[in-house]
Amino acid sequence: MNTPRLVVGVTGGSGIPYAQDLLETLHALDLAPHLVISRGAALVHVTEGKGTLEQLERYAHTLHNDQNLGASIASGSFKTLGMVIVPCSSSSLAKIALGLGDNLISRAAHVTLKERRPLVLVPREAPYPRPMLENMLRAHDAGATILPASPGFYHAPERVLDLLGFVTARILDQFGIESGKMKRWEG
Ligand SMILES: Cc1cc2nc3c(=O)[nH]c(=O)nc-3n(C[C@H](O)[C@H](O)[C@H](O)COP(=O)(O)O)c2cc1C
C-alpha cells in the first residue's frame, strides 16, 4: 500500500457517503490516507453510513483521534500532499476560516494552509446561510479550495454512485490523482 500522505478529515455534515466513496476510491488506487473522523461525523455515520465506522477506518494508513493535538499531522514539519475535509460541516468550516485549531481536524487544516499545501473543503448544506458564505470566502482567501458536494450531470449519471464518483474525481483532481471515476468533458 502506497502512502502519499494525503490527509482526509471527515466531519459531521450530511454527506458521509462522499467520504466513503473517496476512501474506497483511494483504497482501489492502493493509496491509504491519514484519516481523522470527528465525533460529529461518527454521529452522522449512524444515519448515513454504509457498514460500520470501523470498516471506514480500515482504509486509513494511519487513523488519528480528533482530540490528539500531538499527532504527526498537527505539525507543518510532517510533510503531506495536502488535506481534504469531506464532508466539511459548517462548524469546522467556521473554525478553519477563523484560524481556530482546537481539534486535530481544524489544527491540521490550519497547518495545511500555513504550509501552502492544497486544502480542499467539501461543504454540504442547502441553502447556505450568510455566515457560511462568508466563511467559505474567508477560507478561499486563505488558500483553501471550496469544492461543494454538488455533482455535475453532464456525464449522464445513472446511479447515486456516479454522483458520488463525480465529487470524488473532482477532489482527487486537486491533488493530481487520477481516479478514473469521471468521464471528462471533451466538447
Ligand atoms: C444527522 C446529522 C446531520 C447533520 N448534517 C449537517 C450538515 O449537513 N451540515 C452541517 O454543517 N452540520 C450538520 N450536522 C451538525 C454537525 O454534525 C454538528 O454541528 C457538529 O458539531 C459538527 O462538528 P464537527 O465539524 O467537529 O464534526 C448534522 C448532525 C447530524 C446528527
Side-chain angles (χ1 to χ4, degrees):
M1 185 72 64
N2 294 318
T3 54
R5 286 192 174 171
L6 177 66
V7 181
V8 177
V10 184
T11 63
S14 177
I16 294 296
Y18 288 107
Q20 195 135 20
D21 191 70
L22 176 73
L23 292 167
E24 284 171 4
T25 302
L26 288 171
H27 182 70
L29 294 170
D30 207 19
L31 302 173
H34 282 250
L35 177 65
V36 199
I37 298 175
S38 76
R39 214 149 47 106
L43 262 181
V44 180
H45 185 277
V46 173
T47 312
E48 299 184 353
K50 186 179 73 183
T52 65
L53 195 62
E54 288 70 31
Q55 283 169 315
L56 208 59
E57 291 171 347
R58 265 184 232 137
Y59 294 124
H61 171 271
T62 306
L63 180 68
H64 300 279
N65 186 308
D66 197 25
Q67 299 310 308
N68 181 12
L69 288 168
S72 55
I73 57 171
S75 167
S77 67
F78 185 77
K79 283 198 171 167
T80 71
L81 204 61
M83 178 175 187
V84 51
I85 303 183
V86 55
C88 183
S89 74
S90 51
S91 164
S92 286
L93 170 70
K95 286 187 195 180
I96 294 159
L98 294 175
L100 299 178
D102 66 346
N103 57 358
L104 184 57
I105 292 180
S106 56
R107 170 64 192 164
H110 183 72
V111 161
T112 305
L113 287 178
K114 104 183 156 66
E115 299 297 330
R116 307 216 176 262
R117 297 174 188 146
L119 173 66
V120 178
L121 305 178
V122 186
R124 208 298 321 163
E125 192 66 270
Y128 290 133
R130 186 179 179 99
M132 212 172 161
L133 290 166
E134 287 175 345
N135 286 331
M136 282 195 266
L137 188 59
R138 277 196 194 100
H140 169 274
D141 288 350
T145 297
I146 308 298
L147 196 156
S150 322
F153 287 83
Y154 55 81
H155 61 309
E158 290 177 357
R159 309 164 303 163
V160 172
L161 268 180
D162 299 328
L163 298 171
L164 299 175
F166 180 95
V167 173
T168 293
R170 299 303 285 136
I171 291 170
L172 292 180
D173 275 354
Q174 301 299 315
F175 300 95
I177 299 171
E178 180 54 61
S179 65
K181 294 203 87 168
M182 188 186 72
K183 200 168 147 229
R184 293 185 187 278
W185 181 252
E186 305 216 339

